[in-house]
Amino acid sequence: MIKPSVNLSTSLQYMKGVGPQRHQILRRLGLEAVGDVFYFFPRRYENRSQVKTVSDIAFAEEKECVKAQVQSRGMIRRPGNWIFRVVLSDGKKMLFAAWFNQPWLSKAILPHATLIVYGKAEKEGRHAQMIHPEYEVLENDAVSQTVHFGRIVPVYPLTEDLSQKAVRQLAWRVIEEFGIRTTDPLPASLKKRLDLKDSRFAFKNIHFPESFHDLDKARRRLVFDEFFIFELLIQIRRRQWRGRVESLSHRDGESQIKELTESLEFSLTRGQETAIDDIVQDMKKPLPMRRLVQGDVGSGKTVVAAAALLFTASNGFQGALMAPTEVLAQQHYFNLSSLLRPMGISCGYLGQSLEPREKKRVMEALIRGEIQVAIGTHALIQKDVRFKKLGLAVVDEQHKFGVFQRAALKDKGEADAHLLLMTATPIPRTLALTLYGDLDISVMTDRPAGRQPIQTLWVTEEKRMEIYRFMDDLIGQGRQAYVVCPAIEGRDMTSVKGVLSVFESFSRIFSHRQVGVLHGRMKSVEKQKAMRDFKDRKTEILVSTVVIEVGVDVPNATAMIIEDADRFGLAQLHQLRGRVGRGGNESFCFLFSKTDMPESVDRLRAFEAMESGFDIAEKDLALRGAGEIVGARQHGVPELRIADMAKDLEVLELAKAEAERLIEKDAGLRMAEHRALRKILNEKFNLNELKAGVIA
Ligand code: ADP
Ligand code: MG
C-alpha cells in the first residue's frame, strides 16, 4: 500500500472533533494516524445524489433522499415507546417521519427547519412515511455542501459506539484537509501511459466519488498501487538472487531421462512432457530454478519429480524430495526408488519414525554424498541434516508447508539449490501470480490416458444400504474402497461421525470383507502397515480420516464414501476424491450429509457437478475469498486492502509487467522519479523481510 508522506503520521486524536476517547474507539478499526483514514476504504456506497421533493417520492425498492420543511412535530407516548413524529411537507404532499425512543430528537429537529431524510418510503394514504430515516438539519439549505446527502455516499465498516455519520465526517475532513499533502509515488509518464488517475483524485473519489465512473477510475488506481508495490518487491528480490548464485547449472542427463521415461509402462502425457522439459531448461541455466508444477490430483506429478531428481543426480548433485506426511513420504520413497535404483541412483529415506541409529546412518550418508536422492518428511529440514552438494529440492504438496519450510530445504546445500514445488491444489491464476509472483509455473491440464470420470453423488441417509450393496458389488469385482470421516472420535453434540465408530460399523456390516482403519493417532508403524495392507489388497475397505487426503495412490481403489461431507471445504473434498479415479476403472464418490445450511448445500452441489480442479478452485475462491484458501498470512500473501483476487487479474498482470519494466530500467530505484517508490518499499519492508522472502 502506498502511504501518503509522513506529515500524515500525526495521531488522529488531534483532529478536530476526535479527542482521546473517540480515538480509542477508532483504534479498534485500525485508525491510528491521520494518514490511515486514506486507506480506510468504504465497504459500499449509497447513491443519494438525487434529492427529491416530497411530491417526487417514487416509493421505489431503494431508499430515497428527500428534502422538505418541518411542518409540525411531536412526541407521542405509547406503552413502552416514545415516538417522535415529524410532518414534512413541500406544500403539496406530506411525508411522515418517525423515530422510536430517541427523545433527544425533539431538541435537534425544530419547527420550520429544513430537513433532509434518507430512507425507504412507504405509502400512507395519499402521503408518504419513513420509519427511522437518516436525517440532517440543513443550516443554510446548502445541499451540495453536505457530506451525507446529495451525493454518492460512502458506507464504512463500523464498531460499537461509533456512528456512520461520525466516520464519514472524519473521512471528509481528513481528505479535504490533508489530501493536498499526499505525494503521488507513481512517475507521471507511467500514469499517462496506463491511463491511471493521480493519487489525490483516487483518494478523493474512493471516499467521496463524484460519479460511479470516477469511483471505478479511483479504485483502479488504488488496486494498481497495491499490486505494483508487491510486484516491485518481488522483482527486487529476484535481482538479489541473481547476485548471489553460484553456478549450479546442469548440463548432461537428458538421455537418462529418456531412458527413465521409456522404462515406464505408460507413455507420458503432454503436460508431463512439457513440465519435464521446462524443468530441464531451467536447471541448465545458471540461475536457481523456481518452478511450480501445478497438476490436478492424479495427473502424474511423481514421474515429473523422478525425472528432475534423476537429472540432478546425473549431473553429480544430490536431490531431495519432501512430502507433508509420513504415509506419503514412504509411498514416494517406495515408488521413486523403484524407478531410480535401476538407473543406478542411490536413494535414502528420512522420516520421524526412523530408529535413531538408522537416522544417523542416513544423515551421514547424506553428508558424504553417498545418497544421491533423499526422500522424506519435515525431518529433512531439521537443523542437523546436511547435504554434500544439493542440486535440487522438490517440495510435494507444497501448499501443506509454510513459507519458511519451503525455503529451508533448498538452503541445505552450499549454494542456492534449484527448487521445484508441486501442488495438486489448483490455484487460480491471480492467486498464483500473487502468491508465487516470482515463480514460473507449469500447468498439467491433461489426465493420463484411459482415466474414467468419477461419478459423484450426494446421497440421502435412506440410500445408505443401497450404496453399501453397490460398493460390495465393486469389491466383489476385485476393486477396493475408501471411507472417509471428518474426525477420529464422534461428537454426540454435533453427531459427527468418528472414524472409530464408523470402522466398527463397517467391520460389522461388511463382516465378509477385510476392513482396515487409518488415522493420525495411530503409531507410525501401524499407519504404514494399514497403508501397505491396503496397497497389497489385504484390506478391501479402508476407513480413514483425512490422512489419506494428500498424494496416496492406490489405483485399484475405485469407490469412496465421504461421511459428513459438509464438514469439508471444496478444495479438501476435491483432494479426497482424487484418491479414486486413478486407474482404468470407473470410479465413484458418494457424499453423505444431512446439512441444510445454504452455504453447505451450495458447496456440495457445486462439488457434485464439477470435476476439474481448476473449476473447483475458482468456485472456492468465489465462496471463501483468497485469504482463506491459502491461509493468507502464514503463507506470505500480501494483505490486500482494496484489490480483489477474484476480480482484478487484469490490473495485477499490468502491475507485474510494469514492475518488471521499471526494475529493468532502474534496479536500485535511484532515479529521481522513483524516489517515492523507494521510500515506500523501504518503509514497508525491512531488509530482513526482503531476504526471507515473500516466497521461498
Ligand atoms: P499426482 O501426484 O499428480 O496426484 P501421481 O504421480 O501419484 O499423481 O500419479 C497417479 C497415478 O497415475 C500413478 O499410479 C502413476 O503411476 C500413474 N500415471 C502417471 N503418469 C501416467 C501416464 N502418463 N499414463 C498413465 N498413468 C500414469
Ligand atoms: Mg502426488
Side-chain angles (χ1 to χ4, degrees):
M1 262 287 127
I2 297 181
K3 287 249 170 191
S5 62
V6 274
N7 49 6
L8 298 172
S9 59
T10 324
S11 168
L12 266 174
Q13 81 176 71
Y14 303 110
M15 271 304 282
K16 191 170 153 236
V18 178
Q21 221 168 359
R22 173 65 57 85
H23 190 212
Q24 277 307 342
I25 298 173
L26 290 170
R27 268 206 190 105
R28 284 192 238 137
L29 296 170
L31 295 171
E32 186 64 52
V34 173
D36 295 333
V37 177
F38 285 85
Y39 295 92
F40 188 65
F41 298 123
R43 206 153 40 85
R44 60 187 178 85
Y45 302 85
E46 279 174 4
N47 190 356
R48 304 184 186 177
S49 35
Q50 217 194 339
V51 180
K52 299 173 178 173
T53 63
V54 176
S55 306
D56 290 340
I57 292 177
F59 303 100
E61 272 305 302
E62 301 85 45
K63 293 179 179 179
E64 296 176 77
C65 199
V66 181
K67 185 174 104 172
Q69 284 241 302
V70 176
Q71 203 173 58
S72 65
R73 50 192 273 288
M75 194 69 78
I76 307 165
R77 169 98 202 172
R78 289 274 157 77
N81 278 321
W82 286 101
I83 306 171
F84 184 63
R85 248 170 81 100
V86 173
V87 180
L88 293 160
S89 161
D90 62 358
K92 293 183 216 123
K93 285 197 174 171
M94 287 189 286
L95 167 62
F96 310 109
W99 289 269
F100 292 82
N101 300 322
Q102 300 186 14
W104 60 87
L105 285 179
S106 63
K107 295 220 179 64
I109 299 175
L110 301 174
H112 310 299
T114 305
L115 207 62
I116 268 200
V117 288
Y118 177 74
K120 172 103 178 62
E122 274 151 19
K123 283 210 161 102
E124 169 78 26
R126 278 191 63 240
H127 304 286
Q129 89 170 7
M130 278 187 193
I131 308 294
H132 270 262
E134 277 189 56
Y135 77 94
E136 185 164 4
V137 180
L138 293 182
E139 302 285 313
N140 312 316
D141 194 20
V143 180
S144 64
Q145 275 166 37
T146 129
V147 180
H148 309 286
F149 299 98
R151 57 159 44 259
I152 298 168
V153 175
V155 179
Y156 294 95
L158 291 179
T159 179
E160 243 175 279
D161 305 322
L162 194 65
S163 72
Q164 190 59 249
K165 254 173 131 174
V167 179
R168 194 181 293 136
Q169 194 81 46
L170 176 69
W172 176 268
R173 259 203 220 116
V174 167
I175 283 155
E176 288 291 291
E177 276 179 44
F178 292 85
I180 195 104
R181 295 200 219 163
T182 58
T183 38
D184 191 331
L186 292 188
S189 57
L190 187 146
K191 280 183 287 185
K192 185 143 184 269
R193 188 155 42 78
L194 303 182
D195 188 25
L196 288 170
K197 290 290 184 186
D198 63 39
S199 63
R200 198 174 305 159
F201 175 95
F203 283 122
K204 173 78 185 18
N205 282 280
I206 201 73
H207 290 279
F208 295 96
E210 290 301 323
S211 67
F212 284 105
H213 178 73
D214 285 350
L215 175 62
D216 283 347
K217 290 271 180 198
R219 190 175 173 279
R220 183 179 153 83
R221 163 62 206 262
L222 293 167
V223 170
F224 181 86
D225 282 11
E226 196 160 48
F227 284 139
F228 190 56
I229 289 295
F230 178 68
E231 292 294 340
L232 279 176
L233 176 72
I234 282 168
Q235 294 301 321
I236 291 169
R237 276 176 35 73
R238 241 193 186 178
R239 295 268 152 167
Q240 288 181 343
W241 281 338
R242 285 189 199 176
R244 65 182 161 97
V245 283
E246 294 166 40
S247 174
L248 269 181
S249 57
H250 290 46
R251 282 174 199 87
D252 327 306
E254 280 155 290
S255 60
Q256 280 95 323
I257 292 182
K258 195 145 181 273
E259 205 181 308
L260 172 78
T261 55
E262 278 169 3
S263 77
L264 298 170
E265 53 205 50
F266 45 76
S267 48
L268 295 182
T269 64
R270 292 237 350 223
Q272 285 170 319
E273 271 176 5
T274 316
I276 292 173
D277 195 48
D278 289 345
I279 290 165
V280 166
Q281 295 315 322
D282 284 356
M283 288 171 72
K284 282 178 162 177
K285 290 180 193 154
L287 300 174
M289 168 171 75
R290 297 292 177 258
R291 184 168 289 278
L292 173 74
V293 171
Q294 194 180 314
D296 210 343
V297 277
S299 61
K301 293 183 293 294
T302 315
V303 178
V304 175
L309 291 164
L310 176 63
F311 190 58
T312 205
S314 305
N315 278 276
F317 294 98
Q318 288 169 293
L321 180 143
M322 178 165 72
T325 65
E326 191 129 32
V327 168
L328 183 54
Q330 277 165 350
Q331 176 187 291
H332 275 319
Y333 177 62
F334 178 82
N335 291 338
L336 289 169
S337 54
S338 65
L339 285 173
L340 297 175
R341 281 212 178 104
M343 309 282 306
I345 307 295
S346 59
C347 300
Y349 176 79
L350 198 66
Q352 283 87 340
S353 66
L354 284 190
E355 297 274 314
R357 198 157 5 112
E358 178 62 6
K359 194 167 172 189
K360 194 157 166 259
R361 196 192 62 74
V362 173
M363 280 164 55
E364 280 165 11
L366 280 176
I367 297 179
R368 285 203 294 271
E370 289 161 11
I371 291 176
Q372 290 170 284
V373 170
I375 293 139
T377 59
H378 299 82
L380 279 172
I381 52 172
Q382 299 312 305
K383 251 214 241 72
D384 43 354
V385 178
R386 288 269 145 233
F387 289 77
K388 187 178 180 204
K389 207 179 171 192
L390 186 66
L392 168 70
V394 184
V395 180
D396 190 24
E397 308 290 351
Q398 64 86 27
H399 59 282
K400 292 276 167 184
F401 294 97
V403 181
F404 295 104
Q405 293 174 315
R406 285 191 296 237
L409 188 59
K410 72 173 174 55
D411 291 335
K412 284 285 170 186
E414 293 279 289
D416 204 354
H418 294 296
L419 178 66
L420 176 63
L421 303 176
M422 305 202 294
T423 189
T425 295
I427 300 160
R429 183 158 166 72
T430 339
L431 199 53
L433 273 173
T434 325
L435 242 188
Y436 310 114
D438 50 358
L439 286 190
D440 298 303
I441 303 177
S442 303
V443 185
M444 311 205 303
T445 44
D446 41 1
R447 289 155 66 82
R451 291 281 166 82
Q452 301 268 349
I454 304 169
Q455 306 282 346
T456 304
L457 211 60
W458 179 6
V459 278
T460 52
E461 218 33 59
E462 301 88 74
K463 292 259 169 72
R464 192 174 273 277
M465 282 307 144
E466 203 178 308
I467 299 296
Y468 283 4
R469 272 194 295 278
F470 179 82
M471 210 166 95
D472 197 53
D473 278 351
L474 286 179
I475 296 170
Q477 293 161 29
R479 304 285 84 78
Q480 290 162 279
Y482 294 102
V483 180
V484 185
C485 315
I488 296 180
E489 272 163 74
R491 269 162 272 161
D492 287 340
M493 299 263 290
T494 52
S495 74
V496 166
K497 294 248 161 116
V499 74
L500 300 177
S501 64
V502 172
F503 170 59
E504 218 180 85
S505 102
F506 270 81
S507 304
R508 207 166 353 94
I509 299 168
F510 289 81
S511 55
H512 56 300
R513 302 287 180 202
Q514 297 302 316
V515 185
V517 66
L518 178 67
H519 59 76
R521 246 189 255 154
M522 284 158 62
K523 290 215 189 77
S524 188
V525 277
E526 295 169 353
K527 276 192 268 184
Q528 283 166 41
K529 181 166 183 317
M531 245 357 269
R532 204 169 339 106
D533 286 350
F534 192 61
K535 228 173 173 147
D536 298 345
R537 302 200 198 176
K538 281 192 202 148
T539 47
E540 296 163 302
I541 299 172
L542 183 62
V543 182
S544 164
T545 54
V546 292
V547 286
I548 59 144
E549 179 196 1
V550 286
V552 170
D553 182 36
V554 180
N556 190 51
T558 59
M560 172 174 282
I561 286 179
I562 303 179
E563 298 284 358
D564 296 311
D566 53 290
R567 296 265 148 180
F568 301 100
L570 262 185
Q572 202 171 23
L573 286 170
H574 182 65
Q575 285 279 339
L576 287 169
R577 180 171 62 181
R579 299 311 111 212
V580 297
R582 302 191 140 233
N585 291 300
E586 191 176 17
S587 293
F588 304 89
C589 178
F590 301 109
L591 313 172
F592 281 105
S593 165
K594 296 184 203 108
T595 188
D596 53 8
M597 303 246 300
E599 311 93 89
S600 304
V601 171
D602 190 18
R603 198 165 66 236
L604 294 179
R605 288 276 169 248
F607 182 64
E608 258 189 322
M610 291 178 185
E611 235 208 296
S612 145
F614 291 93
D615 295 346
I616 287 181
E618 298 292 345
K619 178 79 185 177
D620 205 23
L621 186 66
L623 287 178
R624 288 197 299 161
E628 284 259 339
I629 291 187
V630 284
R633 238 155 267 245
Q634 180 207 333
H635 289 258
V637 187
E639 185 195 358
L640 297 179
R641 302 182 68 166
I642 187 159
D644 180 334
M645 293 282 190
K647 281 194 275 177
D648 295 320
L649 177 61
E650 177 253 325
V651 184
L652 172 58
E653 290 191 322
L654 190 65
K656 183 174 159 71
E658 287 301 324
E660 275 164 20
R661 188 174 166 146
L662 192 146
I663 294 297
E664 202 59 51
K665 196 165 92 179
D666 179 18
L669 300 176
R670 296 282 157 205
M671 291 164 63
E673 58 173 1
H674 299 153
R675 201 174 294 145
L677 285 170
R678 189 172 77 224
K679 190 155 163 269
I680 291 166
L681 280 162
N682 276 339
E683 274 169 15
K684 202 166 159 53
F685 307 98
N686 64 40
L687 213 64
N688 282 339
E689 233 177 303
L690 274 179
K691 278 196 186 133
V694 175
I695 176 85

